[in-house]
Amino acid sequence: MKKQQRFEHFSQPVLPLRSFLLRWARHGGLAIGFLAFSLGIGMLGYHLIGGLFWLDAFLNASMILTGMGPIDAMPTPGAKVFAGSYALYSGIAFLTAVGIFFAPVLHRAAHKFHLNR
């Protein structure tokens, strides 16, 4: 069974614009799904471990996920450990989502540069 190729090889022509936009939309959906999953983890943790109401848990998780910082102080040591762990995870998760989203654009730019050589 032949392995499916996600991106075109450098010896192949550049993907047509319509196909590229569809690829970029798929990557955007994947990035949004990953961010939604990450936001859900944060909301669950802030609600169950931190004791926050759902709206406050959403606010805290979304602020941490986007790098803005926490809103509510965590009352217990366990909640503080969760908040710190989620903050570390969120930094990597947000950058990963940005990488997933922009991968097709960077690949297309590199592909065009290689074809012009």
Side-chain angles (χ1 to χ4, degrees):
M1 179 191 263
K2 187 175 180 181
K3 184 178 176 185
Q4 183 182 4
Q5 195 173 335
R6 289 207 177 266
F7 290 99
E8 60 276 11
H9 190 263
F10 70 88
S11 63
Q12 296 172 323
V14 175
L15 206 59
L17 183 61
R18 178 175 167 77
S19 299
F20 165 73
L21 292 175
L22 287 172
R23 174 187 286 167
W24 199 13
R26 281 193 310 270
H27 277 76
L30 183 61
I32 289 171
F34 180 64
L35 286 175
F37 172 75
S38 299
L39 184 62
I41 290 172
M43 287 176 62
L44 278 172
Y46 279 116
H47 178 72
L48 298 175
I49 300 171
L52 299 179
F53 293 112
W54 283 110
L55 189 57
D56 293 329
F58 168 75
L59 178 61
N60 270 289
S62 61
M63 293 296 279
I64 290 290
L65 189 59
T66 57
M68 302 299 289
I71 301 297
D72 295 308
M74 295 291 98
T76 65
K80 290 176 184 180
V81 169
F82 168 76
S85 300
Y86 182 68
L88 292 171
Y89 166 80
S90 293
I92 295 168
F94 190 77
L95 291 176
T96 300
V98 169
I100 291 169
F101 180 70
F102 283 114
V105 175
L106 295 174
H107 177 265
R108 188 173 180 90
H111 196 119
K112 282 189 172 188
F113 175 74
H114 185 78
L115 287 179
N116 290 336
R117 293 189 76 189

